[in-house]
Amino acid sequence: MEPSFLCPVCGNSDPKYIGSKNGVLYCRRCISFVGQSAPPFLPSPKKVELSLAYSLSAEQKKLSDQILNNFVHGIDTLVYAVCGSGKTEISYGVIAYAMERGMSVGFALPRRDVVVELHARLASAFPKNKIVAVYGGHSQVLTGDCLVLTTHQLFRYPDYFDLLVMDELDAFPFKGSEVLNAMFYRALRGHCLMMSATPSKEVVSLFKTSGHQMLTLHTRFHKHPIPVPYIKLAHNPAKTVFLIRKLRYFCKKDKPCFVFVPTISECESVFHILSLFLAGGAFVHSKCANRTRVISNFKKGRLRYLATTAVLERGITVKNLQVIVFDADSPIYDAASLIQIAGRAGRKADAPEGEVVFIAEKEEAPMVDAIKEIRYCNTFLQGVL
Ligand SMILES: [Zn+2]
């Protein structure tokens, strides 16, 4: 009989994923997570000064207080908040509380790009504290007052965090990954705060059980409605002509625009066509080595439009951004990803409006569901205005 084996890293006991080398059993499910573990955490209270460029809205403040209260009472919190509601900022209160008391604090995110961006935001919000980013290729320093890390790096922190914040838990590659999920809970010794604009049914029902609470934030911090996407149905060549016209219109009005396309190859080919008609664009996808520079140039206003895959679906805020989803009827999109994409528009208080267009050959259910959900969230505005 096979000896039983329980992986100490990811909790796997499925014989399918257990290998044997020279008579020693090992786990194949988490074998790619290798590297140095963090040194033991030494608790020491920190001086914390929170520096925010603006103050929280009454709604954000209320949520921030509830999160802190939950944490103090040992309750895990899920914040279900619309894109652009300022949910990152509502986590600052509990982060400050935990750092001041010398607890170990982490902020985990599925994707590296978002870790880099969030690290900069946290470093400016907590100027007196050591905020450290940890992600693949950037793991020389593993300790700090608050660690901002990809979920992949959590394997370095067994039984470590008193407070572990997690944003975008519904994003790839965390979503649906048993290994990453197991590593999250392995790293957590205290309590967590999870945040998502589009949580799965499983997560929502988990946070309805005892020891958990779900809080909702349906309105954007600037109290303007989320731009509702509209659908343009067309076949080629009319579909492409519409895209070029729409983009030309945005460029003329000096409005930056993202053109989302389903695949890497389409990203390059659509950009190639667009570039014949409109200067000042670029493309980004996960295989682009220079994508950090391209995104930074776009944010600085040096580019007018970007053709992009889902890499820019989350975590990016650009003033006055317009959004086109080309081939929105592609099976790669579900309602959650279309909501995230639409959520890129109108995020800034001084530019709260934006257009979101789904260009498609036929109307698919995710497109309709995304529009319904955004309309539903916007109805909550009537309660706060
Ligand atoms: Zn394992």
Side-chain angles (χ1 to χ4, degrees):
M1 199 181 92
E2 285 275 311
S4 68
F5 175 84
L6 179 69
C7 173
V9 178
C10 73
N12 168 41
S13 62
D14 185 344
K16 238 185 359 202
Y17 300 108
I18 295 164
S20 168
K21 200 176 178 187
N22 305 325
V24 181
L25 299 179
Y26 69 93
C27 175
R28 286 208 302 251
R29 207 169 67 162
C30 64
I31 195 165
S32 57
F33 296 84
V34 280
Q36 200 190 348
S37 289
F41 178 76
L42 304 169
S44 72
K46 309 288 179 336
K47 249 187 112 66
V48 176
E49 249 175 57
L50 179 56
S51 150
L52 271 186
Y54 55 90
S55 52
L56 297 184
S57 71
E59 226 188 350
Q60 283 177 308
K61 178 81 177 66
K62 191 174 141 208
L63 235 64
S64 168
D65 292 348
Q66 280 173 311
I67 292 165
L68 178 56
N69 193 44
N70 280 355
F71 180 71
V72 171
H73 291 96
I75 294 169
D76 291 343
T77 308
L78 167 68
V79 173
Y80 180 179
V82 296
C83 300
S85 58
K87 60 181 152 57
T88 307
E89 289 78 6
I90 61 175
S91 69
Y92 291 175
V94 72
I95 290 174
Y97 174 92
M99 287 197 296
E100 271 168 353
R101 277 154 192 80
M103 298 173 172
S104 54
V105 182
F107 199 130
L109 294 143
R111 294 186 310 118
R112 196 188 65 170
D113 296 7
V114 190
V115 164
V116 173
E117 176 148 339
L118 182 72
H119 171 259
R121 282 168 73 184
L122 281 175
S124 85
F126 296 104
K128 300 269 187 285
N129 295 100
K130 190 178 169 198
I131 312 293
V132 174
V134 183
Y135 49 86
H138 189 273
S139 55
Q140 297 77 13
V141 183
L142 296 174
T143 55
D145 299 350
C146 175
L147 303 165
V148 189
L149 66 179
T150 52
T151 47
H152 266 83
Q153 298 296 320
L154 286 170
F155 76 91
R156 301 180 190 275
Y157 299 90
D159 199 25
Y160 192 90
F161 293 106
D162 298 307
L163 168 64
L164 188 49
V165 184
M166 160 103 198
D167 197 358
E168 307 199 334
L169 65 139
D170 54 309
F172 179 83
F174 187 77
K175 182 185 185 177
S177 164
E178 277 178 51
V179 179
L180 292 177
N181 244 286
M183 285 191 189
F184 179 87
Y185 282 104
R186 173 175 171 261
L188 179 65
R189 68 174 176 198
H191 292 282
C192 67
L193 163 61
M194 294 199 168
M195 303 195 281
S196 170
T198 44
S200 67
K201 280 198 186 86
E202 293 75 29
V203 172
V204 169
S205 49
L206 170 66
F207 278 83
K208 284 179 177 164
T209 61
S210 117
H212 299 77
Q213 194 188 17
M214 182 171 83
L215 304 171
T216 52
L217 189 57
H218 288 295
T219 53
R220 287 190 155 181
F221 73 94
H222 55 48
K223 299 291 169 248
H224 289 273
I226 307 165
V228 178
Y230 66 91
I231 297 171
K232 169 71 187 175
L233 295 180
H235 288 270
N236 262 333
K239 190 167 77 165
T240 306
V241 171
F242 180 83
L243 169 67
I244 295 165
R245 278 211 186 132
K246 196 76 222 173
L247 194 58
R248 188 178 274 156
Y249 167 81
F250 290 147
C251 289
K252 227 173 159 178
K253 297 260 169 191
D254 254 337
K255 294 178 173 178
C257 182
F258 280 174
V259 179
F260 284 90
V261 289
T263 62
I264 289 178
S265 66
E266 221 185 322
C267 180
E268 297 192 7
S269 62
V270 166
F271 172 71
H272 175 72
I273 297 169
L274 290 174
S275 65
L276 302 174
F277 296 88
L278 287 156
F283 66 86
V284 276
H285 52 64
S286 58
K287 301 269 180 319
C288 289
N290 65 345
R291 77 174 192 261
T292 314
R293 192 164 47 84
V294 172
I295 294 166
S296 141
N297 281 339
F298 184 80
K299 285 184 145 188
K300 286 176 187 152
R302 291 178 191 154
L303 291 167
R304 303 198 288 174
Y305 67 92
L306 283 185
T308 175
T309 57
V311 286
L312 296 183
E313 162 186 315
R314 293 152 184 278
I316 185 163
T317 295
V318 179
K319 190 178 163 179
N320 213 7
L321 186 72
Q322 315 295 309
V323 174
I324 299 173
V325 186
F326 191 68
D327 288 341
D329 49 355
S330 159
I332 78 139
Y333 296 120
D334 56 15
S337 55
L338 290 173
I339 290 168
Q340 292 284 354
I341 288 173
R344 296 309 102 206
R347 296 171 74 88
K348 294 272 187 180
D350 50 357
E353 276 144 36
E355 240 180 270
V356 181
V357 196
F358 293 162
I359 303 178
E361 294 190 0
K362 54 190 183 307
E363 196 175 274
E364 292 290 351
M367 297 157 60
V368 178
D369 292 346
I371 292 171
K372 252 194 228 159
E373 170 75 16
I374 290 169
R375 285 215 173 103
Y376 171 73
C377 287
N378 285 342
T379 60
F380 288 87
L381 271 177
Q382 289 153 8
V384 294
L385 289 177

